[in-house]
Amino acid sequence: MTLKLVSKKNLTILCIILCVVLIVFTTIICIKNSRTSSVKLSSTISEYQENLIAKNKLAHTGIIKEKGEAQFAFTTNQKNQFTQVYNDNQSAALVIRVKFNPTASQKELLTTGTELPFNFGILYSDDFDKNGKLKEPLNTKISVYADLSKKLSYQNNEPVIVDFSMAIPKSEHFENFLPTGFFINSSVACQIVSACAAPALIGFDLTQEITFYGFSSNGGIVNFQNTSVDFSGASLAFPVQNTLNANMPQYILTLNNNEELKGKTVKLSIGGEKLYIKNSANVSKLEFPSASLKSPFSNAEFSENAECITSFLLQSVPVTDQYKAVRTDPGLILNYNQKNWRVKEYEVYEWDRYPGILLFDILDYDIQNDFFRRLAYFVEKRGYKGKLWSDEVLADKHGYNAHDYSADSLAAFFNKATEENFPLNEAEQTLKKILIVNGLLIQDGDYVKAGEGGIVSISRESDAALRAKLLAHEAWHTLFFRDEDFRNFVAAVYYTFDPDSRQFLLDFFESQTGLGYDIEDEYLMHNEFMAYILQQRLKDVPEYFVGRTNLWSVWSFTPVLSQYIRDTNAKGFEDAAIILNDYILDVYGISGGNVALITR
């Protein structure tokens, strides 16, 4: 009997203990669940996803039913995602996706022009006191602000989804200054769909299914008209100078493909400079480095034809290799901010529209000769072609004021040097590294194979007008190198245009001993015929070729044909120029005299 009583007593105690444990466990689970938001944070560099911490009731579901404020916190793992993004991209930001679904009363307000504010901001540890309470109200915090009345429509019954981004300040010790969370305050019913750790993007993007607006860590005001972008805070998120360990950011412009807008020129004012952007046929995107501008971190405004721009973004450029070319439109090379060159003697660019076309801008002719003089004599100079000449032989010789070479010619040059164990100078060795890093040459054991593309070189020693003409001339050569259809078209024009004008051109080349062209090389002649015509605007072609007849070296060498060019006002060249210009405008969206789509 006693044993039975003891067993019942023990059983009762055990049940009580189990109930207590269950209550405690349930309480812990409830507390944990009450702190877990249904909104998740993801990352652009991994498949990571984790629920955010809800700091208030609205953050728990991420839904603001009419108006209110939601406050979220990050877990340790989530904070680490920002560090990983930053280390990979030289920048980091928080992107949130918000679905706006205004109530009936809010839709009524849209008809009255009443302001409907929305704020999104990032929170850091110094925003809180030692007890975890905010030191100041959220409405005093730096944030991204939007007046939703300028975005939402009374007639639109579908929810409107927008991505907002806010950058995290750069730092040498980024991991010590990570955000602790973020807040959203909306006067319109909405749902916070998701959050993401991503590289910083400043600007707007209308090209995706969901519209994007990005800001630096100092926040700003959303311009739903997309006529301006404030880049003044970009220095807080991106490097402000180029070094071996850091790259200044680059701009990305997307052009509207609406045929009715093609052919228009967009006027962009930024930091006191005016840029003119051609919305040409067959062109959808342009890239250019912020380092090319005098004051890149300034307010930017489209004052003419803003509707031609569907995205304008400033993004980080991760450091890859010191020999990697800077992508840009050629129009910004001529007046590129030289203090932002990564090497004081030269800078190397890649044409943003045509991968594999490298454009060198070099401090002076002497440095340019170190890079390309031996190559010029090996590839083009009559009587010297096909052989590597010593520095002693070339010492008193000049290559050209500007250069262009195909990937095939470059590969032949460096393979010849390997085959003969020829001692190349330091600049030529650097050139080879640049070509390999950028894919124009492909390492093949001790030798190299030709990749795609070609190179151009101009010098700062040339005056401004000559630099512009040389850049156009040499750039056309590189398009000739990479595009077989263009080569075939040029050859057809060369053989069908006025034969007396063609012979004058050959005589002109022969008379200029400094050029040293091999006029028996048909490929070279086709290439130079095209470039000498397209290096200037169509209307300037007759004047240029008539002007060649005024040179005594030309007149004395070919007086009859010189007089013919004068008498006909170079009509043969003008006719060829019209045909070539029609072709390049249709295929490349550019015309003679200027290969750029962005000019100052």
Side-chain angles (χ1 to χ4, degrees):
M1 185 70 178
T2 305
L3 287 173
K4 289 183 180 180
L5 288 173
V6 171
S7 296
K8 287 182 178 179
K9 183 178 181 181
N10 288 342
L11 183 61
T12 301
I13 294 171
L14 180 61
C15 289
I16 292 171
I17 292 172
L18 288 173
C19 287
V20 170
V21 170
L22 183 60
I23 291 170
V24 171
F25 180 76
T26 303
T27 302
I28 292 172
I29 293 298
C30 289
I31 292 173
K32 182 177 180 181
N33 286 341
S34 69
R35 296 180 64 245
T36 301
S37 171
S38 61
V39 183
K40 295 182 178 181
L41 179 87
S42 61
S43 171
T44 57
I45 63 171
S46 69
E47 297 181 357
Y48 170 88
Q49 269 198 346
E50 183 184 0
N51 295 84
L52 293 161
I53 298 171
K55 296 291 286 183
N56 67 356
K57 185 177 180 180
L58 290 180
H60 181 67
T61 61
I63 295 174
I64 297 175
K65 292 185 177 179
E66 185 167 1
K67 62 180 179 179
E69 174 185 292
Q71 191 181 138
F72 302 85
F74 298 126
T75 67
T76 300
N77 284 338
Q78 289 169 342
K79 293 178 185 178
N80 290 337
Q81 295 303 309
F82 292 103
T83 300
Q84 292 179 30
V85 169
Y86 186 85
N87 291 339
D88 283 0
N89 297 276
Q90 282 198 312
S91 72
L94 171 65
V95 183
I96 61 165
R97 177 163 294 174
V98 185
K99 181 191 291 186
F100 297 100
N101 196 4
T103 64
S105 61
Q106 289 166 351
K107 286 184 177 180
E108 287 291 336
L109 289 176
L110 293 173
T111 65
T112 66
T114 302
E115 184 176 352
L116 295 173
F118 170 86
N119 292 86
F120 151 56
I122 298 178
L123 297 170
Y124 296 87
S125 58
D126 57 5
D127 288 318
F128 300 88
D129 62 24
K130 61 182 180 181
N131 297 318
K133 301 293 184 181
L134 281 168
K135 295 178 182 178
E136 299 174 358
L138 285 178
N139 60 13
T140 66
K141 301 298 179 187
I142 292 173
S143 67
V144 170
Y145 168 81
D147 178 3
L148 297 175
S149 69
K150 292 180 169 58
K151 177 66 174 176
L152 304 178
S153 169
Y154 176 77
Q155 292 84 8
N156 188 5
N157 292 319
E158 295 297 321
V160 174
I161 304 176
V162 182
D163 285 345
F164 299 98
S165 174
M166 192 169 180
I168 299 167
K170 68 184 181 187
S171 173
E172 291 184 12
H173 305 287
F174 183 81
E175 66 281 358
N176 296 331
F177 302 95
L178 296 174
T180 60
F182 66 98
F183 68 91
I184 287 172
N185 191 311
S186 179
S187 62
V188 171
C190 66
Q191 177 186 356
I192 298 89
V193 178
S194 62
C196 183
L201 278 176
I202 301 176
F204 66 87
D205 186 356
L206 313 179
T207 65
Q208 306 301 315
E209 184 177 350
I210 296 174
T211 303
F212 171 89
Y213 292 98
F215 294 83
S216 187
S217 56
N218 64 337
I221 300 173
V222 176
N223 176 2
F224 287 120
Q225 286 71 45
N226 311 307
T227 55
S228 65
V229 178
D230 186 2
F231 294 114
S232 60
S235 59
L236 301 173
F238 301 115
V240 296
Q241 62 182 22
N242 287 326
T243 68
L244 293 178
N245 301 312
N247 289 327
M248 293 177 67
Q250 67 174 353
Y251 294 102
I252 306 292
L253 271 168
T254 307
L255 301 169
N256 197 320
N257 284 323
N258 186 327
E259 288 299 322
E260 294 181 0
L261 298 177
K262 289 299 182 182
K264 291 190 175 183
T265 298
V266 179
K267 184 177 179 181
L268 170 63
S269 299
I270 181 168
E273 292 184 273
K274 288 182 173 57
L275 303 182
Y276 298 89
I277 303 157
K278 297 179 184 177
N279 186 16
S280 294
N282 302 325
V283 181
S284 59
K285 188 173 78 169
L286 298 172
E287 300 177 30
F288 62 99
S290 60
S292 64
L293 305 182
K294 294 177 181 177
S295 301
F297 304 141
S298 307
N299 188 64
E301 182 175 359
F302 296 105
S303 56
E304 294 178 15
N305 298 318
E307 68 277 8
C308 293
I309 305 298
T310 53
S311 78
F312 187 28
L313 296 167
L314 187 62
Q315 68 177 26
S316 55
V317 181
V319 175
T320 52
D321 191 291
Q322 62 176 312
Y323 298 116
K324 187 69 175 175
V326 176
R327 290 177 61 78
T328 189
D329 181 86
L332 295 173
I333 294 174
L334 296 174
N335 296 310
Y336 194 95
N337 194 343
Q338 192 173 330
K339 72 177 184 180
N340 288 327
W341 282 6
R342 294 169 296 173
V343 181
K344 66 179 182 179
E345 293 84 7
Y346 67 91
E347 184 57 276
V348 56
Y349 309 91
E350 182 177 45
W351 197 338
D352 64 323
R353 295 174 60 199
Y354 303 110
I357 293 184
L358 301 188
L359 308 131
F360 287 74
D361 197 5
I362 299 181
L363 189 62
D364 57 41
Y365 291 144
D366 287 340
I367 297 172
Q368 185 172 239
N369 272 334
D370 288 342
F371 273 97
F372 299 112
R373 175 170 51 192
R374 198 183 335 268
L375 187 55
Y377 279 81
F378 175 82
V379 174
E380 290 185 354
K381 297 282 190 177
R382 185 167 54 183
Y384 294 87
K385 286 174 59 174
K387 184 175 178 180
L388 299 175
W389 299 89
S390 68
D391 292 339
E392 289 73 22
V393 171
L394 300 177
D396 60 345
K397 293 179 171 57
H398 180 63
Y400 298 112
N401 289 346
H403 296 258
D404 66 272
Y405 304 102
S406 68
D408 288 332
S409 295
L410 293 162
F413 174 80
F414 286 108
N415 285 336
K416 185 76 167 177
T418 299
E419 180 184 316
E420 296 182 0
N421 198 25
F422 188 92
L424 298 176
N425 64 35
E426 184 178 348
E428 290 163 334
Q429 294 173 33
T430 297
L431 174 62
K432 185 177 182 180
K433 293 175 184 175
I434 292 171
L435 297 174
I436 291 173
V437 165
N438 290 282
L440 273 77
L441 298 181
I442 302 165
Q443 196 72 54
D444 185 20
D446 292 335
Y447 293 87
V448 292
K449 295 187 296 186
E452 294 292 328
I455 65 171
V456 164
S457 176
I458 58 175
S459 170
R460 292 261 164 164
E461 191 169 332
S462 301
D463 63 50
L466 180 58
R467 276 168 58 78
K469 181 170 286 189
L470 290 174
L471 179 61
H473 179 107
E474 306 301 344
W476 284 116
H477 282 318
T478 61
L479 291 175
F480 185 89
F481 294 148
R482 77 186 301 276
D483 189 342
E484 183 179 5
D485 288 341
F486 185 39
R487 292 196 297 272
N488 292 337
F489 185 82
V490 169
V493 177
Y494 179 83
Y495 288 121
T496 56
F497 99 114
D498 176 38
D500 287 336
S501 296
R502 181 170 63 246
Q503 186 57 52
F504 170 79
L505 182 67
L506 296 177
D507 288 351
F508 164 64
F509 288 155
E510 282 242 71
S511 70
Q512 305 305 295
T513 56
L515 293 176
Y517 291 152
D518 180 359
I519 64 170
E520 301 301 321
D521 185 335
E522 287 192 337
Y523 180 95
L524 177 62
M525 290 300 97
H526 297 171
N527 201 354
E528 295 299 340
F529 153 73
M530 174 275 303
Y532 271 88
I533 287 178
L534 295 181
Q535 70 184 10
Q536 60 264 311
R537 294 173 298 178
L538 175 60
K539 71 182 188 66
D540 296 329
V541 169
E543 180 183 352
Y544 176 79
F545 284 100
V546 170
R548 299 313 92 194
T549 68
N550 294 328
L551 299 175
W552 173 247
S553 57
V554 177
W555 181 266
S556 60
F557 187 88
T558 179
V560 175
L561 289 179
S562 291
Q563 188 62 51
Y564 173 75
I565 296 299
R566 289 183 181 183
D567 291 344
T568 61
N569 195 32
K571 189 174 187 310
F573 288 103
E574 184 179 25
D575 290 344
I578 291 171
I579 297 171
L580 289 173
N581 267 277
D582 286 345
Y583 180 90
I584 61 176
L585 186 60
D586 183 54
V587 174
Y588 301 122
I590 47 183
S591 54
N594 188 5
V595 295
L597 292 178
I598 303 177
T599 55
R600 302 185 204 240

